[in-house]
Each structure stands twice: as structure tokens, then as C-alpha cells.
Amino acid sequence: MGSTGSVGTQTLDIVRAFPDRFKVVGLCNGYNTPLFKKQIDEFRPEYFNTLGDVASGYGGAKSVPVEEIVTLPEVDLVVAATVGCVGMPPAMAALKAGKTLGLANKEVIVMSGQLLIEAAEMGGATILPIDSEPSAIWQCLEGEKSDPSRLIITASGGAFRDRTWASLDGVTPEQALKHPTWTMGEKITIDSATLMNKAFEVIESRWLFDIPFEQIDVTIHRQSIVHSMVEFADGTLKAQLGPTSMLQPIQHALFYPERQANDNLPRLDAVTMGSLTFEAMDQSLYPCFELALEYGKKGGTYPAVLAGADEAAVQLFLDGKVKFTQIPDLVAETLIAHKQMTSPSVADTIEAARWATETTLTHHNLSTILS
Ligand code: MG
């Protein structure tokens, strides 16, 4: 799911390198039709789903609903490389059907970690993180019998890491899209610049590793080489290091629990990697981070509203309709206007996210009219 995006194309890069190990049953994407057609031509799936313009039967593949594809009996592994709240219903369907879910689309687990974990338990399914920080934590925990005492998530600090929030009023989408260490899709790169992405990773890790928020820390690590760390009761810290590339976490999820040689993966040399630095993160400098954690901890429908509102706010910024520094204000306005449900269903959660996206867009339009 999300085959033409950043993680989607890199997932297919891994698949391409191991033609004997994978068969692509289905591909799903958004609007990048030229690339999607190329992928169908190359990987010959039996099924596809697209928001773009591809006729059923193209390349011998049938167009069917996403939820139908991810629950097919011949499907073992589903990679959720979609962006935003749209990924939740098919991810839930895959888990309920007992499929292994490689999860890169973190909004899916932010919206309701509890419901996602429950769906996995019900279906006897496994969630494998593809996001590099949760993947690092997962790799540090492999083989351990004891629970960790602390997770330390590393953060590059994003495009504006050396600037104060107050100085970011006039930054353009082009400036915000220049990430210092990672090349990623637009939504996640803006979320990295606001540090919303890092709060999402804290929420994601709270659910994936079943650990209280109070035992998760964030540390600024500019080089993005240590992808995260885990502390144990005896004071031992384990860190996972790797190149600043999504290929490794993707391949780890695809082959888990095997490790496979792949000449296409970048390597990291200890001698040339240089100095690694770690700095305390002053949370008060990042309004999106504080806001997201506050409402992430409240739970219920709030995290879904957070994800839905952020999606709209980031889109408004990318479209040049609001300032960068208005992103947390817009998200906060929507969160405050929301009436929380404490034990929402899946349908309630999806509706809350949809309401939040629409409300955020409406608030923006109202304030435009008023000004
Ligand atoms: Mg990440």
C-alpha cells in the first residue's frame, strides 16, 4: 500500500533484489499513475488499486478494493507505506485477517494504538515496524528476556534544528522540505521540521513495545546514525546504528527474523562515520511535540483528531495557505473543539480523524474570511 511513495518504491527495490523470495500479489497507490503503470509492468501483480487512472486489466492485473487485496489468502505480508489516516482501515483489515503488517505509515498506529494492537491479537497477526526509530528499538530488544527500563528515541531535529520557533514565521515549504539527514515524502518531512513526527514516534513506540509514556525519552542526535537506544534495568544501553537509509529497516521487516546480504544496501564504516553527538531536547521549543504528547496521552479519540488535524494543517502549509508556525495553532484549535470519546470503536476513530481534517480546513477558511 503506497507503492509509488518513498517507502513503497524502496520496498520494491528490496523485492527486486530477491526475485526468488517474493511474489508481489497486489499493488496499491495514490495518484502517481506513470510510475504505478511501470510497477505493474515490472512486478506483474494479479491485483491493484489506485486513486489514479489505470483501467482494470492493465498488465493483466485486476482492479479490486484495497481491503480485498490485503486479505487475500495468498498474501502473507502487507507493507503499509501509505501516508496519513487513509491507511488505517486496510491496516486493520490485514491484521484481523492474520497478515503480518510491515508498518511505515505511523498515523495508522497513532490514531488508535489500542485498537490496532487489539486487532493484531484478535487476528493472530504481527506488526513489524518499518519506521527507523521503532525498528531500531525492536532490533535492540531482539533476544532479550527482560523488559526495557527506558526507550531513547533519537531525533535529528529536522530542517530548523538551529533556529528558534519564533524565527520560523516566514519559512517557505521549500525550506521546510530540506531535511538535513533523511530523504522522505513531503508530509513526514514537514512533520520532522515541526517535531510532530517525533511525538508520533513516541506514541507509536508506546503501543508497539507496550511501555508507559514516562519511560520514553527523546534525544537530539544530529547525525541520524544511532537510530534509537534501549536501556535495561542493569544500566546497560543498547543502540542500533546504521546508514541514514530506509532500505535497512524495510529489509529487516521483509526478511525478519533472517538477515540477508544485499549489495544494494549502503554500508556504514565506523572509522569514517565521525563523531556522534547527543543533546538534551528542550521540549518547550517545539509546540507541536508538546501538544501531540499531551493529547496522545489523553487517548480515546484525541490521537485520531491529532493525526487528522495535522494532516490538514501540513497540507495547508504546503499549499501556501498558512504559515509554518500556524501548524500547531490550527491543530490545537481542532483538538480543543473536539468532544473526546474515551472508548471509541474503529468507526468512531476513523470518523474522528475525518472530522478533524475537515474542521481544520474549515477553521482555516473562517480565519481567512475574517482577516
Ligand atoms: Mg522515523
Side-chain angles (χ1 to χ4, degrees), residues 106 131-134 182 184 188 197-198 201 204 246:
K106 68 192 85 186
D131 194 1
S132 68
E133 294 81 358
W182 289 95
M184 305 178 290
I188 192 171
N197 178 59
K198 210 43 64 177
E201 286 170 359
E204 185 182 10
M246 285 308 294

Short mmCIF file of all heavy atoms in Angstrom, two decimals, residues 106 131-134 182 184 188 197-198 201 204 246, ligand 1:
data_model
loop_
_atom_site.label_atom_id
_atom_site.label_comp_id
_atom_site.label_asym_id
_atom_site.label_seq_id
_atom_site.Cartn_x
_atom_site.Cartn_y
_atom_site.Cartn_z
N LYS A 106 2.90 5.76 10.10
CA LYS A 106 2.74 5.78 11.56
C LYS A 106 1.42 6.37 12.03
O LYS A 106 0.98 6.08 13.13
CB LYS A 106 3.93 6.47 12.22
CG LYS A 106 4.06 7.94 11.96
CD LYS A 106 5.43 8.42 12.41
CE LYS A 106 6.44 8.21 11.31
NZ LYS A 106 7.80 8.51 11.66
N ASP A 131 9.36 2.12 10.37
CA ASP A 131 9.89 3.42 10.80
C ASP A 131 11.26 3.17 11.45
O ASP A 131 11.41 2.24 12.24
CB ASP A 131 8.88 4.00 11.82
CG ASP A 131 9.11 5.47 12.09
OD1 ASP A 131 10.03 6.06 11.49
OD2 ASP A 131 8.36 6.02 12.91
N SER A 132 12.29 3.96 11.10
CA SER A 132 13.65 3.59 11.50
C SER A 132 13.87 3.57 13.02
O SER A 132 14.60 2.72 13.52
CB SER A 132 14.67 4.52 10.82
OG SER A 132 14.55 5.82 11.31
N GLU A 133 13.23 4.49 13.76
CA GLU A 133 13.45 4.52 15.21
C GLU A 133 12.79 3.34 15.91
O GLU A 133 13.46 2.62 16.66
CB GLU A 133 12.99 5.86 15.79
CG GLU A 133 13.80 7.07 15.32
CD GLU A 133 13.39 7.59 13.96
OE1 GLU A 133 12.49 6.99 13.33
OE2 GLU A 133 13.97 8.59 13.50
N PRO A 134 11.50 3.09 15.68
CA PRO A 134 10.92 1.88 16.28
C PRO A 134 11.60 0.60 15.79
O PRO A 134 11.73 -0.37 16.55
CB PRO A 134 9.45 1.94 15.84
CG PRO A 134 9.18 3.39 15.67
CD PRO A 134 10.46 3.95 15.12
N TRP A 182 17.69 12.99 6.21
CA TRP A 182 16.86 11.97 5.56
C TRP A 182 16.19 12.50 4.29
O TRP A 182 15.82 13.67 4.23
CB TRP A 182 15.72 11.51 6.49
CG TRP A 182 16.15 10.70 7.65
CD1 TRP A 182 16.41 11.15 8.92
CD2 TRP A 182 16.34 9.27 7.71
NE1 TRP A 182 16.75 10.10 9.74
CE2 TRP A 182 16.72 8.94 9.02
CE3 TRP A 182 16.23 8.25 6.75
CZ2 TRP A 182 16.99 7.63 9.41
CZ3 TRP A 182 16.50 6.95 7.15
CH2 TRP A 182 16.88 6.64 8.47
N MET A 184 12.76 11.87 2.41
CA MET A 184 11.48 11.20 2.67
C MET A 184 10.37 11.93 1.92
O MET A 184 10.60 12.90 1.23
CB MET A 184 11.18 11.25 4.17
CG MET A 184 12.27 10.68 5.05
SD MET A 184 11.93 10.81 6.81
CE MET A 184 12.07 12.57 7.11
N ILE A 188 5.91 13.71 5.89
CA ILE A 188 6.78 13.32 7.01
C ILE A 188 7.95 14.30 7.16
O ILE A 188 8.43 14.54 8.27
CB ILE A 188 7.26 11.86 6.88
CG1 ILE A 188 7.91 11.38 8.18
CG2 ILE A 188 8.16 11.66 5.70
CD1 ILE A 188 8.21 9.90 8.21
N ASN A 197 6.52 14.65 14.01
CA ASN A 197 6.91 13.29 13.68
C ASN A 197 7.53 12.57 14.88
O ASN A 197 7.28 11.39 15.10
CB ASN A 197 7.89 13.31 12.49
CG ASN A 197 8.38 11.93 12.11
OD1 ASN A 197 7.59 11.06 11.77
ND2 ASN A 197 9.68 11.70 12.21
N LYS A 198 8.33 13.31 15.65
CA LYS A 198 8.99 12.65 16.79
C LYS A 198 7.96 12.30 17.87
O LYS A 198 8.04 11.23 18.49
CB LYS A 198 10.07 13.59 17.33
CG LYS A 198 11.25 12.93 17.96
CD LYS A 198 11.80 11.71 17.24
CE LYS A 198 12.37 11.99 15.88
NZ LYS A 198 12.96 10.77 15.26
N GLU A 201 6.33 9.22 16.86
CA GLU A 201 7.16 8.04 17.11
C GLU A 201 7.12 7.62 18.58
O GLU A 201 7.21 6.43 18.90
CB GLU A 201 8.60 8.28 16.65
CG GLU A 201 8.70 8.25 15.13
CD GLU A 201 10.04 8.72 14.59
OE1 GLU A 201 10.92 9.09 15.40
OE2 GLU A 201 10.20 8.74 13.35
N GLU A 204 3.80 5.91 18.84
CA GLU A 204 3.94 4.63 18.13
C GLU A 204 4.69 3.60 19.01
O GLU A 204 4.25 2.46 19.16
CB GLU A 204 4.74 4.90 16.84
CG GLU A 204 4.90 3.73 15.91
CD GLU A 204 5.76 4.08 14.67
OE1 GLU A 204 6.38 5.17 14.63
OE2 GLU A 204 5.82 3.26 13.75
N MET A 246 16.38 4.09 4.53
CA MET A 246 15.22 3.28 4.91
C MET A 246 15.34 1.85 4.40
O MET A 246 14.55 0.99 4.78
CB MET A 246 13.93 3.92 4.36
CG MET A 246 13.47 5.15 5.12
SD MET A 246 13.33 4.89 6.90
CE MET A 246 11.98 3.69 6.95
MG MG B 1 11.28 7.79 11.87
#
